[in-house]
């Protein structure tokens, strides 16, 4: 196995483990999936607290059908509202509600704590391998 492939696979493994830990913290503490949390984050970062579903799908790297179902779940919990696009009858905006912002803010604290714990638990060699992988790729450009 090549060094790049080995480092790449180690990186993927580390990311998968950390994402699993983040997802568990969000689910147990707030009933949110990782994609749902990321959707709330994307909406909270938008200057108007809203994004077209198409843009949200693009930012989350999910297909529009998955995002539409996710927004339905968030809407049932009153974390997000749907708003038709005034200039495009087919377009729909996902709008962060006040409740959604409160849940996102509480979940963010737990997300950060879980992320810090995940990094603290990781062997520094694994993190170093990630850095080396990045440096190695830059070197060979």
């Amino acid at each position: 196995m090549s060094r790049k492939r080995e480092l790449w696979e180690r990186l993927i493994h580390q990311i998968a483990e950390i994402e699993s830990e983040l997802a568990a913290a969000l689910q147990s503490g707030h009933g949110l999936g990782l994609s749902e949390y990321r959707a709330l984050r994307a909406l909270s970062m938008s200057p108007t607290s809203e994004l077209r579903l198409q843009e949200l799908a693009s930012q989350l790297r999910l297909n529009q059908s998955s995002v539409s179902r996710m927004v339905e779940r968030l809407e049932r919990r009153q974390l997000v509202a749907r708003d038709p696009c005034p200039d495009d009858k087919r377009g729909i905006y996902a709008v962060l509600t006040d409740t959604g912002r409160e849940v996102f803010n509480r979940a963010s604290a737990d997300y950060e704590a879980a992320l810090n714990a995940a990094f603290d638990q990781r062997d520094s060699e694994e993190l170093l391998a990630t850095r080396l992988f990045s440096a190695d790729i830059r070197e060979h450009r």
Side-chain angles (χ1 to χ4, degrees), residues 24 48 76 89:
T48 58
R76 281 194 299 270
K89 298 300 178 199

Side-chain angles (χ1 to χ4, degrees), residues 87-105:
D87 54 336
D88 179 0
K89 298 300 178 199
R90 295 174 298 158
I92 301 288
Y93 283 97
V95 183
L96 185 64
T97 64
D98 290 341
T99 302
R101 187 172 300 283
E102 290 171 14
V103 168
F104 170 73
N105 288 338

Side-chain angles (χ1 to χ4, degrees), residues 39-105:
L40 294 178
R41 182 181 185 279
L43 293 170
S44 76
M45 300 293 287
S46 168
T48 58
S49 296
E50 66 182 19
L51 291 169
R52 284 183 71 143
L53 293 188
Q54 183 178 7
E55 174 62 23
L56 186 57
S58 175
Q59 285 191 28
L60 298 175
R61 305 282 195 261
L62 297 172
N63 65 49
Q64 195 156 349
S65 175
S66 295
V67 169
S68 185
R69 287 191 306 273
M70 175 180 39
V71 167
E72 283 179 31
R73 290 190 305 272
L74 293 171
E75 188 176 34
R76 281 194 299 270
R77 292 184 58 192
Q78 300 179 333
L79 305 179
V80 168
R82 288 177 187 247
D83 192 22
C85 181
D87 54 336
D88 179 0
K89 298 300 178 199
R90 295 174 298 158
I92 301 288
Y93 283 97
V95 183
L96 185 64
T97 64
D98 290 341
T99 302
R101 187 172 300 283
E102 290 171 14
V103 168
F104 170 73
N105 288 338

Side-chain angles (χ1 to χ4, degrees), residues 1-16:
M1 180 181 319
S2 73
R3 178 77 174 142
K4 284 183 184 178
R5 181 175 171 182
E6 177 188 345
L7 290 173
W8 176 247
E9 289 181 4
R10 287 170 64 186
L11 175 61
I12 289 170
H13 181 75
Q14 289 295 308
I15 290 170

